[in-house]
Amino acid sequence: MGKPLEGIKIIDFTHVQAGPACTQMLAWFGADVIKVERPGAGDVTRSQLRHVEDADALYFTMLNSNKRSLTLNTKTEAGKEVLTKLIKESDVLVENFGPGALDRMGFSWEHIHELNPGMIVASVKGFSDGHHYQDLKVYENVAQCAGGAASTTGFWDGPPLVTGAALGDSNTGMHLAIGILTALVQRNQTGEGQRVAVSMQDSVLNLCRVKLRDQQRLDALGYLEEYPQYPHGEFTDVVPRGGNAGGGGQPGWVLKCKGWQSDPNAYIYFTIQGHAWEPICDAIGKPEWKTDPEYTTARARQDKIFDIFSTIEEWLSDKTKYEAVDILRKFDIPCAPVLSMKEIAADESLRKSGSIVEVPHPKLGKYLTVGSPIKFSGLSVEITASPLLGEHTDEVLTGLGYSADQIAEMHAAQAV
């Protein structure tokens, strides 16, 4: 069976994380992604946070699997000619340049559309067009702050916090991939390409919708009963930071397990859902709580929630996080161990499922990377190594109809 995106050719003008995460996923699913890079330099992440001298950094390899690399100087006439030919036979151009960069290159949307009416031009932006910050340079943590995530993350007596998850970068790339695929489906219906844009602020906000929900509830009620501040704390007029609270109406917290004094990740996340209350009481040896009116409902338990968590922590004190989860899952109690990156890298289940993949590389030897988080019954996603800088330049140019002599001339002139 062929891959679903076979036959789709993508010009990848992206760099760093948001755009490359998008195009990598499309490459996993069969698209021919041609990563266009500056001669002699390439994507800045090739050398950023490098741990092996003269080899591409993991920052690059883990975001550019399954692609081809074309080095191209688009400031030269020869480079512009190559790009023009690529546009005419490609389906999608993805970019995360600063505002107006494509126009200055001579490839405005109008010109691209004239060259190829079916072309989809997809852009990563910091803020949406027309936003008063649209000219502001945006990175991961900037997006988390502007999108509402940081103000609602952390503990109530501390400052806003950003999270280690790439809500601004990789998350934006996933949103852009959805936009590209949607535009491709519409092109099949109309024959016309279109512009697709995703802002990093909007992508973070899309994942913070429950906090926007809570702001409206807070405006109406003056309090939020599922937050730790209720009923004894105080609320202002903005959604507070809730520490490790569940945030979805199901009280949850990170609880210590055996070994927490020396292991910073010897914890589990424990959630108290209504349907699981009686099994929780049985599991931790508190059967009397099942019939005590002070504990039988979520509302009755709320003012004692930290006392309940303290009792559960006492029960956990002689159990490792793995032992605790193995017991609790028999009672159908929502919980999970807090896994470190080292534990995830060694997790056999994640390797068997293809969620973590070991990839051979000509200079690194091998490296670990994430595999497809989306699993299919009729598609096996193969992860191949990221390309060396300019590795496929001759191959791409040959495919565009350039002769060996013409390619040699381009190399000699440092045009490509």
Side-chain angles (χ1 to χ4, degrees):
M1 183 182 295
K3 294 183 178 179
L5 296 184
E6 279 182 2
I8 299 295
K9 182 174 286 188
I10 297 175
I11 303 169
D12 183 3
F13 263 119
T14 68
H15 54 281
V16 190
Q17 186 176 167
C22 165
T23 52
Q24 177 176 252
M25 178 167 279
L26 300 176
W28 286 346
F29 301 155
D32 178 14
V33 175
I34 300 172
K35 186 174 181 72
V36 182
E37 301 184 77
R38 289 179 301 153
D43 191 318
V44 66
T45 59
R46 284 187 181 271
S47 59
Q48 205 167 43
L49 305 176
R50 178 186 280 157
H51 74 287
V52 175
E53 197 63 32
D54 298 324
D56 289 329
L58 290 171
Y59 199 0
F60 177 84
T61 66
M62 295 177 70
L63 286 157
N64 291 282
S65 300
N66 296 55
K67 302 179 184 180
R68 297 196 287 167
S69 173
L70 164 70
T71 48
L72 190 67
N73 185 350
T74 56
K75 294 180 180 179
T76 68
E77 288 307 312
K80 293 182 189 298
E81 177 188 283
V82 171
L83 182 54
T84 297
K85 289 186 176 183
L86 261 181
I87 288 171
K88 287 181 177 179
E89 65 171 48
S90 296
D91 302 278
V92 184
L93 185 152
V94 190
E95 59 90 16
N96 59 349
F97 295 128
L102 272 179
D103 290 0
R104 291 190 294 273
M105 286 168 55
F107 290 90
S108 65
W109 160 249
E110 290 76 17
H111 181 51
I112 291 172
H113 190 64
E114 183 181 354
L115 293 172
N116 182 351
M119 171 69 80
I120 293 156
V121 175
S123 303
V124 173
K125 298 177 177 293
F127 296 88
S128 292
D129 287 343
H131 193 282
H132 55 280
Y133 287 153
Q134 69 178 27
D135 60 344
L136 189 65
K137 199 172 187 69
V138 177
Y139 294 112
E140 171 64 51
N141 292 345
V142 174
Q144 288 194 31
C145 291
S151 70
T152 56
T153 302
F155 284 84
W156 44 89
D157 56 354
L161 290 177
V162 296
T163 174
L167 305 184
D169 277 325
S170 284
N171 169 51
T172 300
M174 300 305 98
H175 280 80
L176 189 63
I178 293 169
I180 290 169
L181 294 173
T182 302
L184 284 170
V185 170
Q186 188 170 56
R187 189 187 68 176
N188 288 342
Q189 299 168 349
T190 66
E192 287 286 316
Q194 62 183 300
R195 287 178 289 181
V196 178
V198 176
S199 86
M200 296 172 73
Q201 181 191 39
D202 290 353
S203 297
V204 174
L205 175 58
N206 191 38
L207 297 190
C208 291
R209 67 182 69 186
V210 296
K211 300 301 181 180
L212 185 58
R213 171 204 68 190
D214 291 347
Q215 183 62 56
Q216 295 172 86
R217 294 171 54 234
L218 180 63
D219 290 342
L221 301 172
Y223 63 89
L224 297 167
E225 64 182 72
E226 76 279 15
Y227 278 67
Q229 290 85 342
Y230 180 87
H232 302 304
E234 294 183 358
F235 288 86
T236 66
D237 61 350
V238 300
V239 173
R241 290 184 274 284
N244 288 313
Q250 311 296 339
W253 206 251
V254 172
L255 303 179
K256 300 172 185 173
C257 294
K258 180 181 177 181
W260 67 270
Q261 299 90 337
S262 57
D263 180 356
N265 294 298
Y267 293 80
I268 66 169
Y269 195 85
F270 193 104
T271 300
I272 298 175
Q273 289 186 311
H275 78 272
W277 177 243
E278 292 193 5
I280 289 170
C281 297
D282 291 333
I284 67 173
K286 298 291 287 185
E288 65 273 19
W289 281 355
K290 293 192 290 185
T291 55
D292 187 337
E294 290 293 307
Y295 291 88
T296 52
T297 67
R299 181 160 290 178
R301 292 190 292 269
Q302 183 61 35
D303 65 343
K304 297 175 284 295
I305 197 67
F306 284 108
D307 294 332
I308 294 170
F309 285 138
S310 293
T311 300
I312 297 170
E313 258 189 352
E314 291 175 16
W315 177 80
L316 291 167
S317 62
D318 63 349
K319 302 170 184 66
T320 68
K321 61 187 179 185
Y322 297 110
E323 291 169 342
V325 170
D326 281 343
I327 294 169
L328 295 170
R329 66 181 180 172
K330 295 175 183 176
F331 289 86
D332 199 26
I333 295 169
C335 62
V338 173
L339 295 178
S340 68
M341 283 296 115
K342 187 169 185 176
E343 289 168 313
I344 285 174
D347 191 314
E348 285 301 318
S349 294
L350 291 175
R351 291 185 179 229
K352 287 178 181 176
S353 69
S355 300
I356 296 287
V357 183
E358 191 170 80
V359 182
H361 187 274
K363 291 193 175 182
L364 291 174
K366 61 183 178 180
Y367 64 93
L368 280 185
T369 190
V370 296
S372 173
I374 305 168
K375 314 301 184 193
F376 302 89
S377 63
L379 171 64
S380 178
V381 178
E382 178 187 5
I383 309 297
T384 61
S386 59
L388 301 177
L389 180 61
E391 180 179 350
H392 304 95
T393 297
D394 290 2
E395 179 180 288
V396 172
L397 293 177
T398 300
L400 291 173
Y402 288 91
S403 68
D405 288 343
Q406 289 173 313
I407 294 171
E409 287 176 10
M410 288 185 184
H411 285 305
Q414 297 184 342
V416 176

